[in-house]
C-alpha cells in the first residue's frame, strides 16, 4: 500500500492514498460490468459530457465504447495493475487515470456525468475502513454537479438468483477463492431507497447484475417479462430456479426479486426527446436471444407471454384467441417469425408484432415455426407454474398438443419432440438459449427409479390403510362408550323417579291421617259433652241469649 497521502504521478496515472499492489479487479473472478444493455446506458450517460467520471472497474469493451464521447474522462481504479493497463490502453485519448481510494480523491473539475455500473464494492482499499454505500454516495455527490447525469448499479443481495450463486458459485477462475468481500455493508433497503438517495429513476436488472439482458422500470416489467429474461444460459441449476423465481415474483414483485438495480438520472425520455435518441433511455431496454437491442416503451404495448399468462390464469378463451392470431400471423409471413422465440413477440394495438428482426432459421415451414412457438409457450406455462384450465398432470408435450388443438391443428407428441429437437439445434448454432422446461415422462424414466417410487407409493398406501383402521376402531369404541353412558343415565333417571314416587306416597298418607283426626275432634267433643246432665238445656239458653244480644246490637 502507499503510505504517502499526497497526490503523486506514476506511469502516466495519478496516485492517491488507498492504492493497492499485486491485485487486479479487471481480471478477478467477479466479472466487471459488460454487455449491450449496460453499454447502451453508458453511452447515453457519456455522450456530449464535459467531464465523465468512471468509478470502479468496468469491462474494457464497455470502456472502449464510452471513452472519447466526453471532452474529458477520468477513471478511478484502486489497483496499480488496472491503472497501468488503462493508462497504456488510452494513452492517446483524453483520459485521466487515478489509482487509489475514491474517498481520497478530489477532482479539479466537477463531473457532469458519472458512471458506476460496478456499484461501490470495489472503489476503496481492502485495508481501509469498509466503505459504506450511503457514505460513498454522499461523497460521489460532492464530486459531481447538481444536474449531472449518472448511472449507478446497486446489487440486490436478496435476489433468488444471487442467493443461488452465493451458495454454488460457478466461477472457473483459479483465483475464485481469493476474493474480497464487497464493502457495502449498508445496502439500500430497496430500489425506491436507492433512487431517492441518488435522485434518479430506478430500473430492475435481469438476470445478472454484471451483464443483464433486461433493464426495465418496475411499472413496465411484469412477472412474465422477468421470467423470460430470468432464464440464464450458464448452468442448468439456474434454470431449475425458474419455478421458485415465479413464486418469488408473485410474492415480492419484480423490484424485490431482481438481481440488481440501476439508478439513472438525466437519461429518461422527456418532451421533445424520443426514447431512441442517443441521450435517452426508455422504460424497457434489453437484448434478445440473438443479441439485438430490444426496446418496448409504448404504454399500449405488451408482451405476448404476459397476455397468455393472464389468459391461462382465467380461462381458455383468451388464450385460444391469441393462439389463433399467432397462427394467422405466422401463416401470413413465415419469414418474419422464423428467428423469434415466443417471449420476443409483442402485442401492439391488439396485433401481434415481432419486437426485432432476426436472421436465424428456426423452422422451414409455417407449420413448423408455429408448432415451435406453441412448444415454447407450453414450456413457459409448465416451468412458471401458471394455472391453466386443462386437466392436471399435463406435461410440456401434451400441453403443446392441446394448444394446437384449440385452433383445429392436429399434431402428436412425437411431432412436438421432433420440432423441438430441430429448433434447439438451430438455437444453439445461433448462440441463442432454448426454453428449458423438460419434464421426465414415464417412458423416459429409469426403471429402478420407477420401482423405487412404486415401493414408496405402496408404503404410503399401507400407512394410509393403517390410519383408516385406527380411525374406525376409535369411532367404534366411541359409539360403544356413548351407548353405555346413555344406558347408565336412563337407569339413574328411573331410580330417581321411583324414589320420588315413594317419597310422595309417604307424604300423602301422613297428611290424610292428620286431616281425618282433625275433622273427628268436634264430633267426638259434642258426643261426650251431650252425656253431661243439663248440658243441652244450658246450650239452648246460651244460644237464645246470644240471639237477643245480636238483635239489640242491630237496633
Amino acid at each position: 500500500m502507499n503510505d504517502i497521502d499526497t497526490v503523486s504521478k506514476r506511469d502516466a496515472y495519478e496516485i492517491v492514498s488507498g492504492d493497492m499492489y499485486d491485485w487486479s479487479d479487471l481480471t478477478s473472478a467477479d466479472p466487471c460490468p459488460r454487455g449491450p444493455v449496460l453499454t447502451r446506458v453508458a453511452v447515453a450517460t457519456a455522450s456530449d459530457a464535459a467531464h465523465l467520471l468512471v468509478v470502479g472497474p468496468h469491462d474494457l469493451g464497455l470502456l472502449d465504447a464510452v471513452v472519447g464521447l466526453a471532452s474529458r474522462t477520468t477513471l478511478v481504479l484502486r489497483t496499480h495493475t488496472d491503472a497501468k493497463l488503462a493508462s497504456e490502453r488510452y494513452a492517446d485519448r483524453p483520459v485521466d487515470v487515478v489509482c487509489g481510494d475514491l474517498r481520497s480523491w478530489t477532482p479539479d473539475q466537477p463531473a457532469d456525468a458519472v458512471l458506476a455500473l460496478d456499484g461501490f464494492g470495489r472503489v476503496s482499499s481492502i485495508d481501509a475502513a469498509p466503505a459504506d454505500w450511503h457514505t460513498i454516495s454522499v461523497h460521489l455527490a460532492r464530486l459531481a454537479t447538481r444536474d449531472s447525469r449518472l448511472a449507478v448499479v446497486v446489487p440486490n443481495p436478496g435476489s433468488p438468483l444471487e442467493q443461488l450463486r452465493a451458495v454454488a458459485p460457478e466461477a472457473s477462475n483459479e483465483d475464485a477463492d481469493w476474493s474480497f468481500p464487497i464493502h457495502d455493508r449498508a445496502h439500500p433497503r430497496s430500489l425506491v431507497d436507492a433512487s431517492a438517495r441518488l435522485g434518479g429513476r430506478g430500473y430492475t436488472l435481469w438476470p445478472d447484475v454484471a451483464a443483464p439482458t433486461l433493464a426495465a422500470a418496475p411499472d413496465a416489467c411484469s412477472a412474465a417479462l422477468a421470467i423470460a429474461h430470468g432464464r440464464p444460459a450458464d448452468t442448468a441449476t439456474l434454470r431449475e430456479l425458474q419455478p421458485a423465481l415465479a413464486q418469488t415474483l408473485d410474492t415480492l414483485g419484480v423490484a424485490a426479486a431482481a438481481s440488481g438495480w440501476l439508478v439513472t438520472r438525466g437519461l429518461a425520455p422527456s418532451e421533445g426527446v424520443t426514447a431512441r435518441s442517443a441521450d435517452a433511455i426508455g422504460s424497457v431496454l434489453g437484448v434478445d436471444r440473438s443479441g439485438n437491442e430490444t426496446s418496448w416503451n409504448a404504454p399500449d404495448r405488451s408482451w405476448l407471454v404476459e397476455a397468455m399468462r393472464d389468459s391461462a390464469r382465467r380461462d381458455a378463451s383468451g388464450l385460444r384467441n391469441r393462439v389463433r392470431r399467432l397462427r394467422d400471423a405466422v401463416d401470413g409471413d413465415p419469414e418474419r417469425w422464423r428467428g423469434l422465440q415466443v417471449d420476443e413477440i409483442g402485442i401492439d394495438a391488439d396485433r401481434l408484432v415481432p419486437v426485432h428482426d432476426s436472421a436465424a432459421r428456426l423452422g422451414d415451414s409455417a407449420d413448423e415455426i408455429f408448432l415451435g412457438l406453441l412448444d415454447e409457450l407450453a414450456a413457459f406455462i409448465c416451468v412458471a407454474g401458471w394455472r391453466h384450465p386443462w386437466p392436471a398432470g399435463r406435461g410440456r408435450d401434451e400441453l403443446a398438443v392441446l394448444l394446437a388443438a384449440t385452433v383445429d391443428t392436429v399434431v402428436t407428441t412425437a411431432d412436438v419432440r421432433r420440432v423441438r429437437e430441430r429448433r434447439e439445434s438451430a438455437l444453439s448454432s445461433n448462440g441463442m438459449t432454448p426454453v428449458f422446461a423438460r419434464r421426465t415422462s414415464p417412458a423416459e424414466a429409469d426403471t429402478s427409479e420407477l420401482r423405487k417410487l412404486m415401493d414408496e407409493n405402496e408404503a404410503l398406501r399401507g400407512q394410509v390403510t393403517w390410519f383408516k383402521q385406527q380411525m374406525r376402531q376409535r369411532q367404534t369404541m366411541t359409539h360403544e362408550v356413548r351407548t353405555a353412558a346413555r344406558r347408565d343415565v336412563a337407569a339413574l333417571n328411573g331410580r330417581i323417579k321411583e324414589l320420588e314416587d315413594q317419597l310422595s306416597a309417604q307424604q300423602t298418607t301422613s297428611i290424610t291421617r292428620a286431616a281425618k283426626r282433625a275433622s273427628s275432634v268436634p264430633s267426638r267433643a259434642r258426643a261426650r259433652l251431650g252425656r253431661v246432665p243439663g248440658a243441652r238445656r244450658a246450650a239452648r239458653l246460651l244460644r237464645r241469649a246470644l240471639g237477643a244480644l245480636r238483635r239489640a246490637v242491630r237496633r
Side-chain angles (χ1 to χ4, degrees), residues 14 47 56 60 63 70 135 276 322 352 356 362 465 507:
E14 183 180 347
S47 297
L60 295 177
L63 292 177
T135 303
R276 296 186 179 275
R322 290 185 173 85
L352 298 183
H356 67 91
L362 304 182
T465 303
Q507 291 177 351

Side-chain angles (χ1 to χ4, degrees), residues 526-540:
R526 288 194 300 270
R528 291 178 182 177
L529 187 61
R531 297 189 187 100
V532 178
R536 292 182 179 179
R537 184 179 179 182
R540 285 194 297 271

Side-chain angles (χ1 to χ4, degrees), residues 380-395:
F380 271 104
I381 295 177
C382 291
V383 172
W386 298 347
R387 296 189 299 270
H388 55 80
W390 295 292
R394 298 289 185 181

Side-chain angles (χ1 to χ4, degrees), residues 217-301:
D219 56 352
C221 184
S222 66
L225 182 58
I227 293 174
H229 284 266
R231 48 182 174 94
D234 46 5
T235 61
T237 305
L238 292 177
R239 295 191 186 100
E240 295 172 357
L241 188 68
Q242 283 197 133
L245 177 60
Q247 296 178 1
T248 304
L249 288 169
D250 290 338
T251 304
L252 302 178
V254 294
S259 295
W261 306 314
L262 170 66
V263 180
T264 64
R265 187 173 67 195
L267 302 181
S270 58
E271 294 183 3
V273 179
T274 63
R276 296 186 179 275
S277 300
D279 57 347
I281 298 295
S283 59
V284 177
L285 178 66
V287 294
D288 55 42
R289 297 294 176 255
S290 59
N292 297 322
E293 182 178 327
T294 298
S295 296
W296 206 241
N297 305 308
D300 59 340
R301 296 179 180 180

